[in-house]
Amino acid sequence: MVQRGSLKLLCGLAFIASCVSGQWLNYPTPGIPRLPDGKPNLAAPVPKAADGKPDLSGVWRIALGPYTLNTTNDLKPGDVQPWAEALAEQRRENLGKDSPAAHCLPFGPLFTFDPINPQKIVQTPNLIVILGEQLMYRQIFLDGRSLPADPNPDFMGYSVGHWEGDTLVVTTAGYNDRTWLGRGYPNTESLRTVERFHRGDFGHLEIAETFDDPGAYTRPWTVKVTGNLMPDSDLLEYVCNENNKDLPHLIGKASDLKGVEVAPEILAKYAGVYAGTLPSGLVVRFEIFPSGSELWASLNGGAKRLLTALSNTKFVLPQLEFLEENGEIVALQYSDVGANARLPRVRENR
């Protein structure tokens, strides 16, 4: 059995976690356009459903980026109401131990922004179903019904959709307030989202989602991600609570982590970009920013996070170690739950 427990997902809220590909690897997906060598042609035209609409069906994985399990990356001071900002800070201080992921609860709005577990879209003329490896699912009704007037609050909300040309527009409401939007930021039951799904070619699905929650935020905001088709594969069942042994070990607070001081001239040597591929095939890119006696990191263009030094070369969170050869920093060793990779320094960027 593959164990992908809540601690891995908890770490993913901070930066990234690795993933395990689906099964049925020896069963080619029927109907996929292929190149002369037999490989899927991901640049082929968009397939059409029987009703002439773009067919979004397939197994998709969300690409890593600044919104990986975090829709709040672009929020600025003043965009978050004071009570919500204070709650988010409290959750970060507690190292996210109360997150839905840590307790094996559904992701809610973050379901769309999960690069760890692929999602399978099944499309019919009147209903689209999105299935998740974590046994989560969504139903998007295309039969003309309206959203419930007084819904029972739900982790995944209630979704209705319609087509605007080749773009599927989905409106969701009726969320409960037990989910997070990333980095500890809450949502209230007044949250409403509008998603726009556009399949640009056979292998890529562009998703733009607007969040509007006047109970916790002062303005709506929109984030965009890309889904990459996973041909010749399928979902691999993942039951978070089947062997969840993490919770007793989620102790301490962020302020308990005491680092060491590192000289600014040493930190300055680490500035730059480090990129590579995890064993799972996912590409990661860290950009390192020294600032006096502090060191900051950004993953795949996401928000900068302050690192804590454990020694002159080792930092957390996540676990990063700068590797030196012949007096020069040449790579970054990245370690996280289920992930371990050497990321070479991208010299042309510095």
Side-chain angles (χ1 to χ4, degrees):
M1 186 188 77
V2 177
Q3 170 62 20
R4 290 182 284 180
S6 59
L7 179 58
K8 172 182 162 183
L9 295 177
L10 181 64
C11 294
L13 292 175
F15 276 88
I16 179 180
S18 69
C19 53
V20 179
S21 298
Q23 44 195 358
W24 303 109
L25 297 181
N26 296 320
Y27 188 81
T29 305
I32 285 186
R34 298 186 182 274
L35 300 168
D37 61 3
K39 293 182 179 179
N41 182 6
L42 300 182
V46 177
K48 299 292 184 179
D51 59 2
K53 301 298 184 183
D55 190 352
L56 308 184
S57 299
V59 179
W60 301 91
R61 169 169 283 138
I62 298 300
L64 290 167
Y67 308 111
T68 294
L69 288 173
N70 173 26
T71 68
T72 65
N73 185 65
D74 297 336
L75 293 179
K76 296 178 173 55
D79 293 339
V80 186
Q81 294 185 21
W83 75 266
E85 187 68 68
L87 179 58
E89 181 59 36
Q90 175 185 328
R91 289 170 168 176
R92 291 192 290 269
E93 168 65 9
N94 289 331
L95 299 176
K97 62 172 61 77
D98 295 325
S99 72
H103 292 264
C104 296
L105 294 173
F107 284 3
L110 282 184
F111 180 65
T112 306
F113 299 87
D114 176 12
I116 304 167
N117 302 284
Q119 301 168 21
K120 186 173 187 174
I121 297 179
V122 181
Q123 180 173 329
T124 73
N126 291 321
L127 177 68
I128 289 178
V129 177
I130 305 180
L131 307 174
E133 288 195 322
Q134 324 90 312
L135 305 185
M136 300 180 203
Y137 70 92
R138 293 181 62 193
Q139 296 187 93
I140 302 171
F141 293 95
L142 306 177
D143 55 6
R145 72 180 66 187
S146 300
L147 288 170
D150 185 22
N152 183 47
D154 193 309
F155 275 98
M156 309 302 288
Y158 301 80
S159 299
V160 297
H162 66 277
W163 291 95
E164 294 183 0
D166 289 341
T167 298
L168 174 68
V169 181
V170 179
T171 301
T172 304
Y175 294 106
N176 65 31
D177 60 2
R178 301 177 63 189
T179 55
W180 293 15
L181 299 183
R183 298 184 60 230
Y185 284 104
N187 64 268
T188 70
E189 293 182 3
S190 64
L191 173 66
R192 178 179 289 237
T193 65
V194 177
E195 299 159 280
R196 302 179 70 87
F197 294 81
H198 179 76
R199 191 169 187 173
D201 58 20
F202 191 84
H204 302 92
L205 183 65
E206 304 298 326
I207 306 172
E209 184 163 358
T210 298
F211 293 80
D212 188 3
D213 185 353
Y217 303 91
T218 61
R219 67 171 180 88
W221 72 96
T222 301
V223 297
K224 298 180 180 180
V225 294
T226 299
N228 296 317
L229 187 69
M230 296 177 59
D232 302 334
S233 188
D234 217 316
L235 302 184
L236 173 65
E237 181 183 278
Y238 156 44
V239 181
C240 170
N241 209 31
E242 186 175 15
N243 190 29
N244 182 19
K245 300 179 180 179
D246 298 327
L247 282 179
H249 304 287
L250 298 180
I251 59 176
K253 297 181 178 297
S255 56
D256 293 337
L257 185 60
K258 304 299 182 183
V260 301
E261 291 188 11
V262 179
E265 57 268 24
I266 294 178
L267 298 179
K269 297 191 303 181
Y270 302 148
V273 175
Y274 304 79
T277 304
L278 298 182
S280 62
L282 294 177
V283 176
V284 294
R285 178 182 182 275
F286 279 98
E287 190 165 3
I288 303 298
F289 304 90
S291 177
S293 59
E294 296 179 340
L295 196 65
W296 297 74
S298 168
L299 171 64
N300 286 9
K304 296 179 184 179
R305 307 288 172 79
L306 180 63
L307 301 177
T308 299
L310 302 181
S311 71
N312 279 352
T313 60
K314 295 182 179 181
F315 297 79
V316 293
L317 289 165
Q319 297 181 56
L320 302 175
E321 180 179 5
F322 293 91
L323 306 180
E324 183 176 337
E325 293 180 4
N326 300 320
E328 183 179 1
I329 304 301
V330 297
L332 183 64
Q333 187 69 35
Y334 162 61
S335 301
D336 206 338
V337 179
N340 196 323
R342 187 179 191 271
L343 310 178
R345 194 172 195 174
V346 183
R347 301 183 185 283
E348 61 267 26
N349 285 38
R350 290 284 171 180

